[in-house]
């Protein structure tokens, strides 16, 4: 009979006690999709940067695994590291990022006036929405974007999002309210759908 | 979103809520293929700290050599200290045989202590 897969806690214990690289690689394999997808959202669709930050996230997780107290889910702890890595990177290259974003938005606009993006000859609604959402998320501040991504895309509660963002729950709610005001304007073309 | 207690930003906010929910559901349902990400990440981790196999016997030999060296360099002091320790512990004068026995016992304790100190972390 095949053995049941090890739990996160068992894998973490193996890493901590025996420096078991195979156990850690299993944790990376388990969470790479969620972390990379989250970072893609946070970076407003910059896949290369998202993967770099995801790699940094797992490296930091490995180095600081001893400090993980298992009070929260491992995924929540990873989201926190990923968000911190994203915010630190955004601060570091704020000017550069804003320049790239402006260029991207100008290129992508292509003369349309805010209509839902056509991803190809026969785009699905989901892919068109994803592209427009990425573009709309790029307009938000980093904090607002992180709050939206964690609460709506990662389905965290406000309390969990507050843990991830290391801020009070009230701040998360404020971020979401402000973000939604901006998103309403950015995604206005979808209002009639 | 799990927590629905947020106040609305306007009367016509339902379409935005539905849009965010739909995009969030699509986000959670999609899975990014690994495409070598795990291998790249693992190769970027710091190299494991592997101590050489000779570390333990070498350290034990060094401690033993240091003990013998001290005993040879300061024979009178070692004997005096051992005699006084035995006198305090047993409350009576002791012979050289007793001191030798005590040294053997102390040596054994040192080896046990060293073994504990050198065990795998």
């Amino acid at each position: 009979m095949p053995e049941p897969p090890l739990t996160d806690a068992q894998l973490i214990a193996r890493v901590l006690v025996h420096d078991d690289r195979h156990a850690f690689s299993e944790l990376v394999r388990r969470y790479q999709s969620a972390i990379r997808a989250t970072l893609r959202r946070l970076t407003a669709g910059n896949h290369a940067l998202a993967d770099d930050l995801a790699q940094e996230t797992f490296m930091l997780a490995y180095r600081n695994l001893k400090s993980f107290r298992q009070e929260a889910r491992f995924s929540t702890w990873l989201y926190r590291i990923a968000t911190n890595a994203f915010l630190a990177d955004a601060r570091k290259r704020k000017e550069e990022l804003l320049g790239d974003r402006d260029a991207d938005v100008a290129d992508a606009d292509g003369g349309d006036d805010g209509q839902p993006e056509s991803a190809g000859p026969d785009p699905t609604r989901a892919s068109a929405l994803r592209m427009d959402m990425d573009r709309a998320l790029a307009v938000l501040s980093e904090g607002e974007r992180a709050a939206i991504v964690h609460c709506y895309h990662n389905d965290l509660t406000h309390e969990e999002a507050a843990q991830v963002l290391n801020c009070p729950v009230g701040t998360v709610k404020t971020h979401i309210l402000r973000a939604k005001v901006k998103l309403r304007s950015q995604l206005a073309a979808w209002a009639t759908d | 979103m799990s927590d629905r207690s947020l106040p609305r930003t306007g009367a016509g906010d339902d379409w935005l809520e539905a849009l965010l929910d739909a995009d969030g559901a699509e986000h959670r349902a999609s899975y990014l293929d690994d495409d070598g990400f795990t291998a790249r990440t693992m190769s970027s981790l710091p190299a494991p700290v592997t101590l050489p196999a000779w570390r333990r016997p070498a350290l034990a030999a060094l401690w033993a050599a240091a003990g013998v060296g001290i005993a040879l360099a300061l024979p009178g002091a070692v004997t005096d200290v051992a005699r006084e320790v035995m006198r305090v512990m047993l409350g009576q004068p002791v012979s050289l045989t007793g001191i030798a026995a005590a040294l053997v016992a102390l040596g054994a304790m040192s080896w046990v202590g060293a073994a504990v100190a050198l065990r795998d972390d």
Side-chain angles (χ1 to χ4, degrees), chain B residues 8-92:
Chain B
R8 300 291 173 135
T9 53
D13 210 23
D14 286 344
W15 66 267
L16 179 59
E17 195 74 24
L19 213 58
L20 285 166
D21 282 343
D23 193 49
E26 196 260 338
H27 171 89
R28 289 189 296 279
S30 62
Y31 180 84
L32 294 180
D33 285 332
D34 188 279
D35 282 336
F37 176 82
T38 299
R40 282 197 302 280
T41 300
M42 294 309 294
S43 67
S44 72
L45 294 183
V49 181
T50 51
L51 294 169
W54 47 263
R55 178 192 71 150
R56 186 174 300 193
L59 279 177
L62 280 175
W63 276 111
V68 170
I70 290 170
L72 290 176
L74 305 165
V78 171
T79 310
D80 288 347
V81 167
R83 194 189 293 271
E84 288 304 313
V85 167
M86 292 295 284
R87 186 179 296 164
V88 168
M89 288 175 65
L90 302 176
Q92 58 186 9

Side-chain angles (χ1 to χ4, degrees), chain A residues 21 32-33 130 152-153 180, chain B residues 17 23 26 28 32 46:
Chain A
R21 300 297 175 105
Q32 61 86 18
S33 176
R130 192 185 324 126
Y152 283 92
H153 296 86
K180 285 167 87 174
Chain B
E17 195 74 24
D23 193 49
E26 196 260 338
R28 289 189 296 279
L32 294 180

